Amino acid sequence: MAKITSVSPLAPAAFPELPVIDGVRFASVAAGVRYAGRTDVMLTLLDPGSTVAGVFTRSATRSANVLDCQSKIGGDGDAGAAIIVNSGNSNAFTGKAGDGSVAAICAAVAKATGLPEARVFTSSTGVIGERLPHDRIIAKVDDLVASLDPGKGDEAARAIMTTDTFPKGACTTVALPGGEVKIAGFAKGSGMIAPDMATMLVYIFTDAKVSRADLQTMVSEINDRSFNCITVDSDTSTSDTLLMGATGASGVDVSLADSDFAQALEGVFLDLAHQVVKDGEGATKFVTVNVTGAKTDADARTHALAIANSPLVKTAVAGEDPNWGRIVMAVGKSGAAADRDRLTIRFGDVLVAENGWVAPSYKEEDGAALMKQPEITISVDIGLGAGKATVWTCDLTHGYISINADYRS
């Protein structure tokens, strides 16, 4: 896997100090899944009474881990739950051997924690098509259980990194009528990012008391407005997984009617989703694509993704070239309804084009100055209706080629 020698210029100043979420403990270890001496496995243990929800890739070639999690996620149980994750090997496209690896790992974790195997969830991330050396993971399970600690979320976040240049964490505290609750989580992701469910690998926890059904609804709906609205390279992973656990340790009941909790949770989702884009392989620019005036929201999303995924748009951004013609191209090719003569395009607050041509007020130097900023907003109004969507992406630089050309080395 390509050696990462520098941190993304868009990285936050520091990993946040994640609050302790009562009822959740973490541990990590170097198991040598792919590299000797590299921390590459993390275990999370949730106390009895916790509920778990999740969303997963809809890839037709999803991994054995994803299929196993999907089969378990709808189950209720008071026994608690465990999440064990390895980096370095995705356990995808490994046939029946992949299923056997998942079964073996689940059995080992269940034995060490006293949990039913149905409450053990696994994720694997890394190279596709190579058998997972699950014996190396199993050999470390007892060590993981013995070192579980509620304050080790930051170490767990680092253990799941592959081509990430920084660990990604987010947290918040929200005051509700019943009391204060905490939300904290972490994610990994840098390339192969065009989620069709959740994204990459994401783990979020709260001490709120939430029914499994309500938690699943919140996760699914908020995911659609956050992780499902990011793209780095238009490629959807075989392993994308988002799991969320609610321990109930605060004693504060939360339901779908609690908009303050949902808003706080969405903030954490968005924070993590944006960090993934800011760590896009080789990224130097964070780009927000706003589309309004489409016939429907679905059409707006189609247009936004066409812009965000266009290599020509992304390389223009990388080169700080305000090439608005490439935006016109992307809208035209998207397949959603559009009218050339009704398009309005803005870079930031600079009006670039309107009524089917460049705006009379537009000056190339204004567009060029805006494109030099590390965070750029591209806004397009289609002029056909009330549909709208926002998608987040990054630029496409030679760094992306360098990382992925050497990925398996």
Side-chain angles (χ1 to χ4, degrees):
M1 197 172 297
K3 184 178 180 180
I4 306 302
T5 58
S6 61
V7 176
S8 167
L10 303 171
F15 189 84
E17 186 174 341
L18 299 181
V20 168
I21 303 292
D22 290 338
V24 185
R25 291 175 288 157
F26 306 95
S28 57
V29 70
V33 173
R34 189 169 183 84
Y35 304 106
R38 176 171 169 173
T39 303
D40 54 8
V41 179
M42 81 92 175
L43 175 68
T44 301
L45 192 64
L46 290 88
D47 282 357
S50 299
T51 55
V52 181
V55 282
F56 309 91
T57 182
R58 288 194 287 260
S59 166
T61 54
R62 53 196 181 276
S63 72
N65 304 72
V66 170
L67 293 170
D68 184 65
C69 284
Q70 286 181 303
S71 72
K72 295 173 176 177
I73 199 65
D76 284 312
D78 293 326
I83 301 169
I84 185 166
V85 185
N86 75 268
S87 60
N89 183 308
S90 72
N91 195 34
F93 199 60
T94 51
K96 294 298 181 182
D99 299 330
S101 292
V102 171
I105 292 169
C106 288
V109 173
K111 181 180 179 181
T113 60
L115 289 170
E117 290 183 30
R119 297 293 286 172
V120 178
F121 301 90
T122 71
S123 301
S124 295
T125 182
V127 172
I128 294 171
E130 297 182 6
R131 290 188 61 171
L132 179 67
H134 60 263
D135 54 316
R136 300 177 190 176
I137 298 171
I138 291 171
K140 297 292 185 177
V141 167
D142 286 340
D143 291 344
L144 286 164
V145 173
S147 60
L148 285 163
D149 187 302
K152 290 184 177 178
D154 59 336
E155 295 178 16
R158 288 175 172 84
I160 65 174
M161 292 167 55
T162 51
T163 59
D164 304 62
T165 69
F166 62 89
K168 300 158 185 68
C171 57
T172 191
T173 300
V174 56
L176 301 175
E180 188 175 84
V181 299
K182 300 172 185 175
I183 306 169
F186 49 86
K188 69 82 53 182
S190 188
M192 201 181 289
I193 307 299
D196 187 17
M197 42 56 70
T199 184
M200 301 51 67
L201 298 181
V202 185
Y203 307 97
I204 298 175
F205 308 96
T206 180
D207 56 6
K209 186 176 182 181
V210 194
S211 72
R212 206 211 71 81
D214 281 2
L215 188 65
Q216 184 63 59
T217 298
M218 289 182 203
V219 165
S220 296
E221 290 181 352
I222 295 172
N223 164 70
D224 278 342
R225 298 190 296 269
S226 56
F227 293 114
N228 261 1
C229 293
I230 66 172
T231 179
V232 166
D233 49 21
S234 82
D235 289 329
T236 297
S237 172
T238 59
S239 306
D240 291 346
T241 295
L242 184 156
L243 293 172
M244 181 170 179
T247 68
S250 68
V252 179
D253 287 301
V254 169
S255 71
L256 293 176
D258 291 296
S259 59
D260 287 345
F261 179 82
Q263 184 177 1
L265 183 60
E266 185 158 351
V268 171
F269 273 52
L270 281 171
D271 191 341
L272 291 172
H274 290 181
Q275 287 187 57
V276 169
V277 173
K278 290 177 179 180
D279 201 19
E281 290 169 341
T284 66
K285 309 280 188 181
F286 177 76
V287 184
T288 300
V289 180
N290 291 320
V291 173
T292 56
K295 278 192 172 181
T296 65
D297 287 349
D299 271 10
R301 177 180 170 84
T302 297
H303 285 308
L305 286 171
I307 296 166
N309 283 326
S310 166
L312 288 176
V313 172
K314 291 160 74 72
T315 49
V317 172
E320 300 180 342
D321 176 12
N323 193 336
W324 52 270
R326 294 183 178 180
I327 308 300
V328 176
M329 173 280 299
V331 169
K333 73 160 187 174
S334 77
D339 184 328
R340 177 197 65 190
D341 295 335
R342 297 189 183 189
L343 292 182
T344 301
I345 300 171
R346 286 181 169 84
F347 292 155
D349 58 1
V350 176
L351 177 63
V352 178
E354 60 182 347
N355 302 320
W357 200 29
V358 63
S361 62
Y362 177 64
K363 297 178 181 178
E364 184 77 1
E365 55 267 31
D366 293 340
L370 187 134
M371 297 299 281
K372 293 184 180 299
Q373 299 177 9
E375 299 196 10
I376 298 165
T377 298
I378 298 171
S379 299
V380 180
D381 191 89
I382 306 299
L384 296 178
K388 60 183 180 179
T390 299
V391 167
W392 297 277
T393 190
C394 58
D395 56 345
L396 179 60
T397 71
H398 195 278
Y400 182 88
I401 298 170
S402 299
I403 290 168
N404 284 286
D406 296 332
Y407 184 69
R408 296 200 302 165
S409 63

